[in-house]
Amino acid sequence: MATKTSRASKTPAYKCAECGWTAVKWVGRCGECQAWGTVEESGATVARTTAAATVLEPARRIAEVDGTTAAFLPTGVDELDRVLGGGLVPGAVILLAGEPGVGKSTLLLDVAAKFARTGQDVLYITGEESAAQVKLRADRIDAVAHTLYLSAETDLGQALGQVEKLEPKLLIVDSVQTLSSADVEGSAGGVSQVREVAASIIAAAKRRNMTTLLVGHVTKDGTIAGPRLLEHLVDVVCQFEGERHSRLRLLRAVKNRYGATDDVGCFDLNEAGIEGLADPSGLFVSRTREPVSGTCITVTMEGRRPLLAEVQSLLAESPNSQPRRATSGLDSSRVSMLLAVLQQRAGCLLHKDDSYVATVGGVKLSEPATDLAVALAVASAKARKALPQRLIAFGEVGLAGEVRPVPGINQRIQEAHRLGFTHAVVPASPNGSGPVPDGFSVREVGHLAEALELLIA
C-alpha cells in the first residue's frame, strides 16, 4: 500500500528577479546571473514528497516507439529549416529571442503564413499588438493565408481556450512575457508569471503534439529575460541578431534537441519583409572597378558556413601626439594588437598615423582567422598600394608575427573559388590546405613578413 508523507520548511526563501535563482538567505549578488540588487524575499520554501500515482500509460520498449510522428515538417523558410536541423518537429517548443526591432515578429509572421498555405491551421497569439496592427504588417509582407488565425490575448486562460477551440498544428506566442495567469501573483513578465505561462503552454504543446514558437525578450546584457528555467524547459533556443542600421540578420541555435547548433541562418530585412539569403557574401564585399589600397577580402566561418567579408583600412597622419585608433565591426583591442605586431615584427611604422579599420555591410568579425586580412589591409593602406583584386587572405596572427593555422582551410578556399577568386594567402598547416580547385593559386605563409611580400611583388 502506497504511503504519502509531506513536510514543510518555514525557512524564508530569497529569489532573483532576473533569473529565478533561489537562496535560503539574502545576498547582494545573484549566484546564477551575477546581477546586483535583484535578490528579494519570496515567502517560504515548501518541500513535498508525494505518493506514487496509478500508471495511465505503461512504459514501452524504445524499439516499439513510432518515431515517424516526430519527423521534420518544412516551414517554407529554408534558412530557418537550416538552423532547426530540417524543420519543425511536432510537439517541439522553440524559443526565439532577440533585441527589440530586430525582426522576430516579421520572421514568425512569414513562417506562420507559409506554414498555413500547406493547409495546416496556425494560431498567432499577439500580446504586444492588436490584430489590426498584425494584419497591416501581414499585408505589407504578403503573409496572409486562409488558415492563419490571429488572436490578441494577454490572459493565459483565454489563450489556452483559443488553442482548445481551434486545435492548431502550429502555435506562435508573441511574446511569452506579455501573457499572465490569474492564478499566479505578480505582473506579466515576472519570474512567477513567466514560469507559469511557459509551463502551461509547453504542457499543452506536448499533449496535443503541437509545434509552438515562443518569442522571448532580452535584457540589456543581451541574455533572455525571465528565469533560466525557461531555457531549460523548451526544446530549441534561437538567437536572432542584427545591427539596427544593417539589413543583415543572423539566426543561431543556442540549444537544439533535434539537431546541431553550429549552423547559422542569414536573412535580409527590407521594406518588403524578410527574405532568406542562401548566398549572403555579396552584402559584405564592395564592388569597385579598380583595385583600391587598404582593402582585403577574407573568409570567416559562421558556424559551418563560410562567408566572404571585406576589411577596409584608412591611415592618415595624426596632428596629435597620441594617434587615434577607431574600428567598426572588429574587436578594437585585437586591432590595436595587430597594429603593434605590424610595427614591431614587420617594420610597418604606424605610431604617427591615425588608423581607421572597418568591415563592409555592418558585419561583425570576431574570429581570429580574420587577423591576416586586417594586417594586410593596414599594410596596404600604409604602402598606398592595392592588393590583387581576386585575392583572399585568412589566418590568425600571433604576437611574434607568426601566422597560425585555422579550422576549415579547404572549405574557405572552395567558397572563395566558387565566388570567382583565384588567389589565397593561407597559414602553413601540417596537414596542408587540401585539394585545390583548378586555376586557383594558394600561397602558404608562416610569418606576417612573408604575407607582406605581396605588396612588394
Side-chain angles (χ1 to χ4, degrees), residues 62-86:
I62 190 171
E64 299 173 357
V65 178
D66 184 11
T68 59
T69 58
F72 287 106
L73 299 175
T75 63
V77 181
D78 294 338
E79 291 299 301
L80 178 60
D81 292 343
R82 174 201 292 267
V83 175
L84 296 180

Side-chain angles (χ1 to χ4, degrees), residues 75-227:
T75 63
V77 181
D78 294 338
E79 291 299 301
L80 178 60
D81 292 343
R82 174 201 292 267
V83 175
L84 296 180
L88 300 175
V89 176
V93 180
I94 303 167
L95 177 64
L96 178 64
E99 295 182 355
V102 75
K104 302 184 298 296
S105 300
T106 303
L107 173 62
L108 292 186
L109 187 58
D110 184 51
V111 171
K114 290 181 177 178
F115 194 81
R117 287 168 187 160
T118 62
Q120 306 286 351
D121 289 339
V122 179
L123 176 58
Y124 190 105
I125 297 178
T126 172
E128 300 179 346
E129 301 173 283
S130 65
Q133 290 173 324
V134 177
K135 176 61 165 56
L136 286 177
R137 187 168 67 250
D139 290 335
R140 177 174 58 87
I141 66 175
D142 190 23
V144 178
H146 181 67
T147 56
L148 173 57
Y149 297 85
L150 294 179
S151 177
E153 294 288 352
T154 56
D155 181 74
L156 176 61
Q158 294 291 332
L160 294 177
Q162 295 281 5
V163 174
E164 186 83 19
K165 181 179 179 180
L166 186 61
E167 296 185 354
K169 193 69 175 177
L170 174 63
L171 171 66
I172 297 177
V173 180
D174 186 11
S175 63
V176 68
Q177 278 91 355
T178 58
L179 293 182
S180 61
S181 173
D183 300 330
V184 178
E185 296 182 357
S187 59
V191 174
S192 301
Q193 286 288 355
V194 170
R195 181 182 286 111
E196 176 66 19
V197 169
S200 301
I201 293 177
I202 291 172
K206 301 300 182 184
R207 184 172 62 252
R208 298 176 176 277
N209 207 29
M210 171 184 65
T211 306
T212 303
L213 290 166
L214 305 177
V215 175
H217 294 166
V218 297
T219 63
K220 294 180 180 179
D221 298 332
T223 58
I224 300 175

Side-chain angles (χ1 to χ4, degrees), residues 403-424:
V403 181
R404 301 171 182 169
V406 295
I409 293 180
N410 187 257
Q411 191 175 359
R412 300 173 201 253
I413 292 176
Q414 297 293 339
E415 178 68 10
H417 177 260
R418 185 182 69 84
L419 295 176
F421 289 81
T422 58
H423 297 77

